[in-house]
Amino acid sequence: MGTNLTKQNRFDAIIIGAGACGLMCAVQAGFLGKRTLILEHNDKPGAKILISGGGRCNYTNLHTTANQFISQNQHFCKSAFAQWTVEDTITFFETYGINGAEKTLGQLFPESGKAKDVVKVFTDLCEQLDQEIRLNTKAKAITPIKDGFTVSYERNGKSNELYAPKVIMATGGLPISKLGATDFGMRTARTLGLTVTETAPALVPLTITGKQQSWYEQLSGSSIFSRVWNERASFEENILFTHWGLSGPAILQISSYWKPGESIFIDLLPNRSIVDIILQENPKQLLQTLLSGLFTKKFAEALGVYLPIQKNLASLSKADLQNIETLIHEFKVTPAGTKGYDKAEVMRGGVSTDELSSKTLESKKVPGLFFGGECVDVTGWLGGYNFQWAWASGFVIAQNI
Ligand code: FDA
């Protein structure tokens, strides 16, 4: 097994991973006249792009700022977002035939509603720009040598290695191994002496177990517009009851800020006061009737476990009102855990931002080695933010290889 350096195998950089970051990096490098090779162990590029946003790909968010990202260094992503803005994402895709349609909260999807159109932009451009995507090829090790790296890989059961002066780790995060997720980026970082911050599933449903579970189970399928918060963050969107606990956008969002053992709180009637409503309504009305009007009959009945729903409003005591107020506006939930990486949209944590230049995303300890996308400790909210980070980091790296 020797380093194979035929003309065909001469690349300015080898990119590991044909996901959002790797594909954008290859294309942008191509625009600059640089030749890259992407190694991808799946049999197709962009597996996560294809299933993202329910197959429609929420490819950016109009409101992107550093505030929608979780990282040990909140400022780290600012340089990349200044170099590649949301406007740049929109213009890039428009140039190649994808117009954006805004859904809710600044989330942009292709007008066609097809994530595969997004992947096609990259595969077409890679072909035009002579950027090779080598599929069914698993990177096994990155070894720094004089003036570059050897990249060991496995293809069709055979091991081989390549040389490149620069290597880009665009290997993504840990969610959904059946889509190709691996820990290769983080493992390589550790092997080369780089710090990796603690990783955990994020944008992930939360589970409830024990005596509480059947209460959630009976409400499975019910959705309520709520404000969900803990001491670190607060989100106003729908929550969804499921057989095993809670999901829906507001829960996914708070899950990124949740740690095992902690509670979260839910305001089931945000921006209104349940006590004010009770005091204004017909006093002969049953509490259950009032709650059925504000929520659903099913939910009002389920609240009977906690509240005196058979009382009429006039007969509610001060203590009842206090209890109702707390339950509706500060519903406390202590999740047992998360649904894990198989159901997570993203990974929290990753290669420490301390290890990388925020301007170039190059490793400070291993010159020539770059990290971008989800394998870096920069985790976005739900709503197109993670792709904006993947595109921006891919662009930045392409400028610096
Ligand atoms: P990505 O995971 O895209 O690519 C990494 C690539 O590296 C993969 O193709 C993998 O196979 C490959 N790889 C790994 N190890 C390898 C090895 N050793 N050798 C060769 N190849 C290797 N975000 C968003 O902004 N809007 C959305 O709508 C959604 N929707 C969504 C839905 C679902 C179900 C999920 C799971 C995720 C999302 N996301 C999202 C998140 C988004 O998909 C994610 O943040 C980006 O794809 C990250 O891009 P990367 O390029 O970093 O990794």
Side-chain angles (χ1 to χ4, degrees), residues 179-255:
L179 291 175
T182 72
D183 67 347
F184 186 63
M186 281 80 71
R187 197 156 28 93
T188 302
R190 282 194 198 97
T191 306
L192 296 174
L194 276 59
T195 306
V196 176
T197 65
E198 192 186 348
T199 54
L203 299 180
V204 64
L206 298 172
T207 57
I208 309 287
T209 54
K211 276 188 269 168
Q212 289 283 310
Q213 191 183 351
S214 57
W215 191 81
Y216 288 82
E217 211 168 342
Q218 66 180 325
L219 288 167
S220 180
S222 302
S223 175
I224 297 178
F225 183 78
S226 306
R227 185 172 75 86
V228 182
W229 82 96
N230 65 8
E231 62 192 20
R232 292 174 215 106
S234 169
F235 297 94
E236 242 179 62
E237 278 184 82
N238 281 338
I239 62 166
L240 175 70
F241 289 85
T242 70
H243 287 287
W244 33 258
L246 287 168
S247 188
I251 295 295
L252 299 184
Q253 297 279 36
I254 204 76
S255 75

Side-chain angles (χ1 to χ4, degrees), residues 72-139:
Q72 280 196 352
N73 178 355
Q74 192 68 41
H75 305 289
F76 182 82
C77 59
K78 286 181 180 171
S79 173
F81 287 143
Q83 294 180 62
W84 180 268
T85 63
V86 171
E87 206 45 55
D88 290 325
T89 299
I90 294 169
T91 308
F92 172 82
F93 284 112
E94 274 177 4
T95 306
Y96 300 103
I98 295 186
N99 292 318
E102 186 187 348
K103 297 272 184 244
T104 166
L105 303 170
Q107 300 169 5
L108 225 61
F109 292 76
E111 236 169 29
S112 69
K114 292 182 189 147
K116 66 176 190 213
D117 293 351
V118 172
V119 176
K120 191 167 181 305
V121 166
F122 290 108
T123 47
D124 286 354
L125 280 171
C126 279
E127 204 176 320
Q128 282 166 32
L129 296 163
D130 195 24
Q131 308 294 305
E132 184 184 338
I133 305 174
R134 207 171 285 179
L135 299 171
N136 302 305
T137 307
K138 190 179 182 86

Side-chain angles (χ1 to χ4, degrees), residues 16-23 39-42 44-49 51-54 56-60 109 137-140 170-173 175-176 179-185 187 203 344-346 372-375 381-390:
I16 319 296
C21 174
L23 289 167
L39 304 184
E40 169 57 59
H41 69 149
N42 282 339
K44 59 174 187 260
K48 269 197 193 162
I49 301 174
I51 55 106
S52 66
R56 294 176 304 147
C57 185
N58 175 196
Y59 65 91
T60 191
F109 292 76
T137 307
K138 190 179 182 86
K140 303 286 277 184
T171 45
I176 319 201
L179 291 175
T182 72
D183 67 347
F184 186 63
R187 197 156 28 93
L203 299 180
E345 278 203 15
V346 78
E374 201 177 315
C375 67
W381 286 2
L382 187 77
Y385 299 102
N386 285 296
F387 277 137
Q388 183 59 25
W389 166 246

Side-chain angles (χ1 to χ4, degrees), residues 6 26 38 79-80 84 89 149 171 180 195 268 313 329 340 348 351 386:
T6 62
I38 307 184
S79 173
W84 180 268
T89 299
F149 300 86
T171 45
T195 306
L268 295 158
L313 303 186
H329 293 300
R348 194 175 66 206
V351 176
N386 285 296

